[in-house]
């Protein structure tokens, strides 16, 4: 599971997004914050979203994701 969370997301508070990732049982988990973005972080900061997603996928392919 990958959660890329907007720093200023008022729809899903940061603490709830982090708790969700912590509570999910998954073989690969990653959580990252997109600075300066709200709930629609992928649209607000597409370049940052893509950079974080590629970094997470690279980690996943090497088996180095948080569990």
């Amino acid at each position: 599971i990958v959660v890329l969370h907007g720093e200023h997301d008022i729809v899903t508070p940061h603490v709830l997004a982090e708790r969700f990732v912590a509570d999910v049982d998954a073989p690969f988990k990653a959580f990252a914050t997109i600075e300066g973005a709200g709930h629609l972080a992928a649209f607000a900061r597409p370049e940052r979203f893509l950079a974080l997603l590629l970094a997470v996928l690279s980690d996943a392919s090497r088996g180095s994701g948080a569990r």
Side-chain angles (χ1 to χ4, degrees):
I1 183 171
V2 176
V3 173
L4 302 178
H5 188 264
E7 175 184 29
H8 303 295
D9 188 340
I10 61 172
V11 177
T12 307
H14 195 82
V15 67
L16 293 180
E18 285 184 311
R19 188 178 308 148
F20 172 75
V21 172
D23 290 348
V24 169
D25 184 25
F28 177 87
K29 299 193 290 186
F31 181 91
T33 300
I34 299 178
E35 303 83 6
H39 187 69
L40 299 175
F43 296 104
R45 302 275 323 272
E47 71 293 336
R48 185 67 180 137
F49 177 86
L50 181 58
L52 285 171
L53 182 59
L54 291 174
V56 166
L57 293 175
S58 177
D59 288 348
S61 71
R62 290 193 310 271
S64 59
R67 173 81 174 102

